[in-house]
Amino acid sequence: AQSVTQPDIHITVSEGASLELRCNYSYGATPYLFWYVQSPGQGLQLLLKYFSGDTLVQGIKGFEAEFKRSQSSFNLRKPSVHWSDAAEYFCAVGGHSWGKLQFGAGTQVVVTP
Amino acid sequence: GAVVSQHPSWVICKSGTSVKIECRSLDFQATTMFWYRQFPKQSLMLMATSNEGSKATYEQGVEKDKFLINHASLTLSTLTVTSAHPEDSSFYICSARETGTNEKLFFGSGTQLSVL
């Protein structure tokens, strides 16, 4: 069975500092991996996705993520956070019919001045 | 870019009434759409896969008679919460996969349902 674990429920980071959000997955085959961001009361915006190829994926808003098969991880990073990055972040995994996604529990990011 | 419109954004209804939520792909065709539910401070849980012209596929534990899904066209799927109760209060989000591609999936902005 597929599953996604986001170990950090809540992260507080200072504006300008770096950010890393952890994501571990369990999947029987090569997964399709995604990071989404959700602002309060809003839908989801795709930050980036990994299907195959280069394991370092660049996304929007300065985010990147690295797929590490040996660690079953797909951690999200940003070198310097902005106050507008405060939101809930979800990691998700899907298979061949990847529109059907399994989401992690989410990580709430708070950005302090 | 592609947009998925979800309507209404929020709805308040009385217990026992039915509520219909629309998910519409605005500039692309979507043979397949997905419906998720999100309780406060929790993750999204897939409820069902909506297939144009055929019956929806429901996830385990989701009552198909309570959550009616209709996908009558390539751009519209509807979710009807029948005989709603307070425990059905939740944030419902749809997503649509562009037909003919395995890479384009777009989410709606969600519908907050509150059942009194």
Side-chain angles (χ1 to χ4, degrees):
Chain A
Q2 61 192 50
S3 67
V4 181
T5 302
Q6 291 181 248
D8 304 305
I9 296 173
H10 187 275
I11 285 181
T12 299
V13 60
S14 300
E15 190 169 14
S18 64
L19 174 68
E20 181 167 14
L21 303 182
R22 295 182 291 166
C23 174
N24 292 96
Y25 68 90
S26 173
Y27 196 73
T30 300
Y32 294 165
L33 294 160
F34 307 81
W35 275 101
Y36 286 91
V37 61
Q38 183 183 35
S39 297
Q42 300 294 314
L44 301 179
Q45 182 180 27
L46 178 67
L47 290 175
L48 46 79
K49 60 182 183 288
Y50 172 79
F51 287 170
S52 64
D54 192 347
T55 55
L56 185 61
V57 182
Q58 300 298 321
I60 63 172
K61 302 185 179 185
F63 284 93
E64 66 177 26
E66 186 170 12
F67 171 58
K68 292 186 177 180
R69 184 187 300 275
S70 62
Q71 298 177 20
S72 297
S73 68
F74 189 57
N75 295 347
L76 181 72
R77 297 191 293 256
K78 185 169 184 177
S80 177
V81 298
H82 187 262
W83 63 267
S84 60
D85 294 323
E88 185 92 19
Y89 291 79
F90 292 96
C91 180
V93 63
H96 179 70
S97 298
W98 61 263
K100 186 175 175 179
L101 300 181
Q102 176 84 35
F103 284 86
T107 298
Q108 180 70 47
V109 173
V110 173
V111 180
T112 59
Chain B
V3 175
V4 172
S5 173
Q6 195 171 333
H7 180 80
S9 299
W10 59 270
V11 57
I12 301 173
C13 70
K14 293 182 178 179
S15 185
T17 61
S18 295
V19 174
K20 180 184 285 188
I21 303 170
E22 292 187 350
C23 181
R24 193 180 299 272
S25 57
L26 295 186
D27 56 0
F28 66 96
Q29 293 185 334
T31 306
T32 306
M33 294 185 178
F34 303 88
W35 287 97
Y36 293 83
R37 180 168 55 185
Q38 183 181 30
F39 290 108
K41 300 189 183 302
Q42 295 188 27
S43 187
L44 287 79
M45 300 298 293
L46 179 67
M47 298 175 66
T49 302
S50 172
N51 302 296
E52 186 268 335
S54 65
K55 291 183 178 180
T57 304
Y58 290 81
E59 295 299 302
Q60 191 173 6
V62 178
E63 300 175 60
K64 61 180 66 177
D65 293 331
K66 181 165 188 61
F67 298 99
L68 300 179
I69 292 173
N70 184 278
H71 194 155
S73 79
L74 286 172
T75 59
L76 176 64
S77 175
T78 61
L79 169 69
T80 301
V81 183
T82 62
S83 186
H85 288 91
E87 57 265 30
D88 299 322
S89 298
S90 184
F91 193 61
Y92 293 86
I93 305 180
C94 70
S95 66
R97 186 172 73 193
E98 186 171 0
T99 300
T101 175
N102 210 27
E103 296 188 7
K104 295 185 179 179
L105 178 73
F106 304 97
F107 279 83
S109 56
T111 298
Q112 180 64 53
L113 170 64
S114 296
V115 184
L116 304 179

